[in-house]
Amino acid sequence: LTLIYVQISFAQCWKTISAGNYHSIGIKNDGTMWSWGWNQYGQLGYGPFGFGNYNKGQVGSSNDWDSVSANEDHTFAIKTDGTLWGWGYNNYGQLGNGNYNNQSSPVQIGTSNNWMKVSAGYYFGVAIKNDGTLWAWGRNDAGQLGDGTTNNSLIPVQTGSLTGVIKVAAGSRLIC
């Protein structure tokens, strides 16, 4: 009976949760974002860089987070206004913000406000805009960005001429 109560309580509290390599992050139903785990590269999105912050902490003070995706040591999220954000490890430019600097708090990726879905891959990211186009950035050693090269990209680049995409999932070195 207690287990059922915990599950019901959990469902009423969290809108979505995602897990990275050593960190987890979730958005509560009130639109606030919380994270916990290892923070060596700032992947928790709050506080200074450090190996452990095992207490759950709020990411900023915003209450307009819509979706989140974590992988390895970085995290991406979309706000309800359609803006795309990233933070954490950035050795391949996987944060998509034009540089290789690790970020311990969310930084906006570009200026677009028409992002619909995002998925964090193994040192890269992929997202869908409201028009159904697919965009990717970061590590590209296996051509996972789909731009016809194996060059890493510091900013989102359109993946081919696909339109009408409604779902996306990033894996180790592939996009589905």
Short mmCIF file of all heavy atoms in Angstrom, two decimals, residues 131-172:
data_model
loop_
_atom_site.label_atom_id
_atom_site.label_comp_id
_atom_site.label_asym_id
_atom_site.label_seq_id
_atom_site.Cartn_x
_atom_site.Cartn_y
_atom_site.Cartn_z
N ASP A 131 8.40 23.64 -37.15
CA ASP A 131 8.09 23.38 -38.56
C ASP A 131 8.44 21.94 -38.97
O ASP A 131 8.33 21.58 -40.14
CB ASP A 131 8.80 24.39 -39.47
CG ASP A 131 10.31 24.31 -39.39
OD1 ASP A 131 10.86 23.44 -38.66
OD2 ASP A 131 10.98 25.12 -40.07
N GLY A 132 8.90 21.11 -38.01
CA GLY A 132 9.21 19.72 -38.30
C GLY A 132 10.60 19.48 -38.85
O GLY A 132 10.91 18.37 -39.27
N THR A 133 11.46 20.51 -38.87
CA THR A 133 12.83 20.31 -39.32
C THR A 133 13.68 19.80 -38.16
O THR A 133 13.40 20.08 -36.99
CB THR A 133 13.44 21.61 -39.89
OG1 THR A 133 13.36 22.65 -38.90
CG2 THR A 133 12.73 22.03 -41.16
N LEU A 134 14.72 19.03 -38.50
CA LEU A 134 15.59 18.40 -37.54
C LEU A 134 16.94 19.11 -37.53
O LEU A 134 17.50 19.40 -38.58
CB LEU A 134 15.77 16.93 -37.93
CG LEU A 134 16.48 16.01 -36.97
CD1 LEU A 134 15.70 15.91 -35.65
CD2 LEU A 134 16.64 14.63 -37.59
N TRP A 135 17.46 19.38 -36.33
CA TRP A 135 18.71 20.10 -36.16
C TRP A 135 19.59 19.35 -35.18
O TRP A 135 19.09 18.73 -34.25
CB TRP A 135 18.42 21.51 -35.62
CG TRP A 135 17.59 22.32 -36.57
CD1 TRP A 135 16.26 22.19 -36.82
CD2 TRP A 135 18.05 23.37 -37.40
NE1 TRP A 135 15.86 23.09 -37.77
CE2 TRP A 135 16.94 23.84 -38.14
CE3 TRP A 135 19.28 23.96 -37.60
CZ2 TRP A 135 17.04 24.87 -39.06
CZ3 TRP A 135 19.38 25.00 -38.51
CH2 TRP A 135 18.28 25.45 -39.23
N ALA A 136 20.94 19.40 -35.40
CA ALA A 136 21.86 18.69 -34.52
C ALA A 136 23.14 19.52 -34.35
O ALA A 136 23.44 20.39 -35.16
CB ALA A 136 22.19 17.33 -35.10
N TRP A 137 23.90 19.22 -33.28
CA TRP A 137 25.12 19.96 -32.97
C TRP A 137 25.99 19.12 -32.05
O TRP A 137 25.54 18.17 -31.44
CB TRP A 137 24.79 21.32 -32.33
CG TRP A 137 24.02 21.17 -31.05
CD1 TRP A 137 24.52 21.12 -29.77
CD2 TRP A 137 22.61 21.03 -30.92
NE1 TRP A 137 23.51 20.94 -28.87
CE2 TRP A 137 22.32 20.89 -29.54
CE3 TRP A 137 21.55 20.99 -31.83
CZ2 TRP A 137 21.03 20.72 -29.05
CZ3 TRP A 137 20.26 20.82 -31.34
CH2 TRP A 137 20.01 20.70 -29.97
N GLY A 138 27.28 19.48 -31.97
CA GLY A 138 28.22 18.80 -31.09
C GLY A 138 29.09 17.80 -31.83
O GLY A 138 29.48 18.02 -32.97
N ARG A 139 29.39 16.69 -31.18
CA ARG A 139 30.28 15.67 -31.73
C ARG A 139 29.69 15.04 -32.99
O ARG A 139 28.50 14.74 -33.05
CB ARG A 139 30.52 14.58 -30.68
CG ARG A 139 31.57 13.58 -31.08
CD ARG A 139 31.85 12.62 -29.96
NE ARG A 139 32.99 11.78 -30.28
CZ ARG A 139 33.52 10.93 -29.45
NH1 ARG A 139 33.02 10.80 -28.23
NH2 ARG A 139 34.55 10.22 -29.81
N ASN A 140 30.59 14.81 -33.98
CA ASN A 140 30.12 14.31 -35.27
C ASN A 140 31.11 13.31 -35.87
O ASN A 140 31.20 13.18 -37.08
CB ASN A 140 29.88 15.48 -36.23
CG ASN A 140 29.05 15.11 -37.43
OD1 ASN A 140 28.24 14.20 -37.38
ND2 ASN A 140 29.27 15.80 -38.53
N ASP A 141 31.85 12.58 -35.06
CA ASP A 141 32.89 11.69 -35.56
C ASP A 141 32.35 10.54 -36.41
O ASP A 141 33.06 10.01 -37.25
CB ASP A 141 33.74 11.15 -34.41
CG ASP A 141 32.94 10.36 -33.39
OD1 ASP A 141 31.75 10.68 -33.18
OD2 ASP A 141 33.51 9.43 -32.80
N ALA A 142 31.11 10.16 -36.21
CA ALA A 142 30.51 9.09 -37.00
C ALA A 142 29.45 9.62 -37.96
O ALA A 142 28.66 8.86 -38.50
CB ALA A 142 29.89 8.04 -36.07
N GLY A 143 29.42 10.93 -38.16
CA GLY A 143 28.42 11.53 -39.03
C GLY A 143 27.05 11.61 -38.40
O GLY A 143 26.05 11.79 -39.10
N GLN A 144 26.98 11.51 -37.08
CA GLN A 144 25.69 11.47 -36.38
C GLN A 144 24.88 12.76 -36.50
O GLN A 144 23.67 12.74 -36.26
CB GLN A 144 25.87 11.08 -34.90
CG GLN A 144 26.73 11.98 -34.08
CD GLN A 144 28.18 11.52 -34.00
OE1 GLN A 144 28.77 11.13 -34.99
NE2 GLN A 144 28.77 11.58 -32.82
N LEU A 145 25.49 13.85 -36.91
CA LEU A 145 24.73 15.10 -37.06
C LEU A 145 23.93 15.11 -38.36
O LEU A 145 23.04 15.93 -38.53
CB LEU A 145 25.65 16.32 -36.99
CG LEU A 145 26.46 16.49 -35.71
CD1 LEU A 145 27.18 17.83 -35.72
CD2 LEU A 145 25.59 16.35 -34.47
N GLY A 146 24.27 14.22 -39.27
CA GLY A 146 23.50 14.10 -40.51
C GLY A 146 23.68 15.24 -41.48
O GLY A 146 22.83 15.44 -42.36
N ASP A 147 24.79 15.97 -41.35
CA ASP A 147 25.01 17.10 -42.26
C ASP A 147 25.97 16.75 -43.40
O ASP A 147 26.43 17.63 -44.13
CB ASP A 147 25.53 18.31 -41.49
CG ASP A 147 26.90 18.10 -40.86
OD1 ASP A 147 27.42 16.95 -40.90
OD2 ASP A 147 27.46 19.06 -40.31
N GLY A 148 26.29 15.47 -43.56
CA GLY A 148 27.16 15.04 -44.65
C GLY A 148 28.64 15.18 -44.37
O GLY A 148 29.46 14.98 -45.27
N THR A 149 29.01 15.52 -43.13
CA THR A 149 30.41 15.67 -42.75
C THR A 149 30.68 14.86 -41.48
O THR A 149 29.77 14.26 -40.91
CB THR A 149 30.79 17.14 -42.46
OG1 THR A 149 30.26 17.52 -41.17
CG2 THR A 149 30.26 18.08 -43.53
N THR A 150 31.93 14.87 -41.07
CA THR A 150 32.30 14.33 -39.75
C THR A 150 32.91 15.44 -38.91
O THR A 150 33.68 15.18 -37.99
CB THR A 150 33.28 13.14 -39.88
OG1 THR A 150 34.41 13.55 -40.64
CG2 THR A 150 32.60 11.94 -40.54
N ASN A 151 32.55 16.69 -39.22
CA ASN A 151 33.05 17.84 -38.47
C ASN A 151 32.10 18.14 -37.32
O ASN A 151 30.89 18.20 -37.51
CB ASN A 151 33.15 19.08 -39.37
CG ASN A 151 34.08 18.85 -40.54
OD1 ASN A 151 35.13 18.23 -40.40
ND2 ASN A 151 33.70 19.36 -41.70
N ASN A 152 32.66 18.37 -36.13
CA ASN A 152 31.85 18.79 -35.00
C ASN A 152 31.22 20.14 -35.31
O ASN A 152 31.76 20.91 -36.11
CB ASN A 152 32.69 18.92 -33.74
CG ASN A 152 33.31 17.59 -33.32
OD1 ASN A 152 32.88 16.53 -33.75
ND2 ASN A 152 34.31 17.66 -32.47
N SER A 153 30.10 20.43 -34.71
CA SER A 153 29.44 21.72 -34.91
C SER A 153 29.15 22.38 -33.57
O SER A 153 28.57 21.77 -32.67
CB SER A 153 28.13 21.55 -35.68
OG SER A 153 27.52 22.81 -35.87
N LEU A 154 29.56 23.64 -33.44
CA LEU A 154 29.36 24.40 -32.21
C LEU A 154 27.97 25.00 -32.11
O LEU A 154 27.60 25.54 -31.06
CB LEU A 154 30.39 25.53 -32.11
CG LEU A 154 31.86 25.09 -32.00
CD1 LEU A 154 32.77 26.31 -32.02
CD2 LEU A 154 32.09 24.26 -30.77
N ILE A 155 27.21 24.93 -33.20
CA ILE A 155 25.84 25.48 -33.22
C ILE A 155 24.93 24.49 -33.95
O ILE A 155 25.41 23.65 -34.72
CB ILE A 155 25.79 26.86 -33.91
CG1 ILE A 155 26.28 26.76 -35.35
CG2 ILE A 155 26.57 27.91 -33.12
CD1 ILE A 155 26.05 28.01 -36.17
N PRO A 156 23.64 24.56 -33.73
CA PRO A 156 22.72 23.66 -34.44
C PRO A 156 22.81 23.84 -35.96
O PRO A 156 22.84 24.96 -36.47
CB PRO A 156 21.35 24.08 -33.92
CG PRO A 156 21.61 24.65 -32.58
CD PRO A 156 22.93 25.37 -32.72
N VAL A 157 22.90 22.70 -36.67
CA VAL A 157 22.88 22.68 -38.13
C VAL A 157 21.71 21.80 -38.55
O VAL A 157 21.41 20.80 -37.90
CB VAL A 157 24.20 22.16 -38.73
CG1 VAL A 157 25.34 23.11 -38.46
CG2 VAL A 157 24.55 20.76 -38.23
N GLN A 158 21.06 22.18 -39.64
CA GLN A 158 19.92 21.40 -40.09
C GLN A 158 20.39 20.05 -40.62
O GLN A 158 21.37 19.95 -41.35
CB GLN A 158 19.12 22.14 -41.16
CG GLN A 158 17.82 21.44 -41.47
CD GLN A 158 16.87 22.29 -42.31
OE1 GLN A 158 17.12 23.46 -42.56
NE2 GLN A 158 15.78 21.68 -42.73
N THR A 159 19.66 19.01 -40.24
CA THR A 159 19.97 17.64 -40.66
C THR A 159 19.19 17.34 -41.93
O THR A 159 18.00 17.04 -41.87
CB THR A 159 19.59 16.65 -39.54
OG1 THR A 159 20.34 17.00 -38.38
CG2 THR A 159 19.91 15.24 -39.92
N GLY A 160 19.86 17.44 -43.05
CA GLY A 160 19.22 17.17 -44.33
C GLY A 160 18.05 18.10 -44.60
O GLY A 160 17.98 19.21 -44.09
N SER A 161 17.12 17.61 -45.42
CA SER A 161 15.96 18.43 -45.78
C SER A 161 14.67 17.83 -45.23
O SER A 161 13.59 18.11 -45.75
CB SER A 161 15.88 18.56 -47.31
OG SER A 161 15.80 17.27 -47.89
N LEU A 162 14.81 17.01 -44.20
CA LEU A 162 13.63 16.40 -43.60
C LEU A 162 12.66 17.46 -43.09
O LEU A 162 13.07 18.49 -42.55
CB LEU A 162 14.04 15.52 -42.41
CG LEU A 162 14.81 14.25 -42.70
CD1 LEU A 162 15.30 13.63 -41.40
CD2 LEU A 162 13.95 13.28 -43.48
N THR A 163 11.38 17.20 -43.28
CA THR A 163 10.33 18.02 -42.67
C THR A 163 9.27 17.09 -42.12
O THR A 163 9.23 15.91 -42.47
CB THR A 163 9.69 19.00 -43.69
OG1 THR A 163 9.11 18.22 -44.75
CG2 THR A 163 10.70 19.98 -44.25
N GLY A 164 8.45 17.58 -41.27
CA GLY A 164 7.39 16.77 -40.70
C GLY A 164 7.84 15.83 -39.60
O GLY A 164 7.10 14.94 -39.20
N VAL A 165 9.06 16.02 -39.08
CA VAL A 165 9.55 15.18 -37.99
C VAL A 165 8.79 15.54 -36.72
O VAL A 165 8.60 16.72 -36.42
CB VAL A 165 11.07 15.38 -37.79
CG1 VAL A 165 11.58 14.54 -36.63
CG2 VAL A 165 11.83 15.07 -39.07
N ILE A 166 8.33 14.55 -35.98
CA ILE A 166 7.57 14.83 -34.75
C ILE A 166 8.20 14.22 -33.50
O ILE A 166 7.89 14.64 -32.39
CB ILE A 166 6.10 14.36 -34.86
CG1 ILE A 166 6.03 12.88 -35.21
CG2 ILE A 166 5.35 15.18 -35.88
CD1 ILE A 166 4.64 12.29 -35.13
N LYS A 167 9.10 13.24 -33.66
CA LYS A 167 9.78 12.63 -32.52
C LYS A 167 11.24 12.41 -32.89
O LYS A 167 11.57 12.16 -34.05
CB LYS A 167 9.16 11.29 -32.14
CG LYS A 167 7.79 11.42 -31.52
CD LYS A 167 7.29 10.08 -31.06
CE LYS A 167 5.91 10.25 -30.43
NZ LYS A 167 5.42 8.98 -29.90
N VAL A 168 12.11 12.45 -31.86
CA VAL A 168 13.53 12.21 -32.09
C VAL A 168 14.13 11.59 -30.84
O VAL A 168 13.70 11.88 -29.72
CB VAL A 168 14.26 13.52 -32.48
CG1 VAL A 168 14.29 14.50 -31.34
CG2 VAL A 168 15.65 13.22 -32.99
N ALA A 169 15.12 10.75 -31.04
CA ALA A 169 15.89 10.16 -29.94
C ALA A 169 17.34 10.09 -30.35
O ALA A 169 17.65 9.64 -31.46
CB ALA A 169 15.36 8.77 -29.59
N ALA A 170 18.22 10.55 -29.49
CA ALA A 170 19.64 10.51 -29.75
C ALA A 170 20.25 9.34 -28.98
O ALA A 170 19.92 9.10 -27.82
CB ALA A 170 20.30 11.82 -29.33
N GLY A 171 21.14 8.61 -29.63
CA GLY A 171 21.81 7.49 -28.98
C GLY A 171 23.27 7.77 -28.81
O GLY A 171 23.70 8.93 -28.70
N SER A 172 24.07 6.73 -28.82
CA SER A 172 25.50 6.87 -28.64
C SER A 172 26.12 7.69 -29.77
O SER A 172 26.77 8.69 -29.54
CB SER A 172 26.16 5.50 -28.55
OG SER A 172 27.55 5.62 -28.43
#
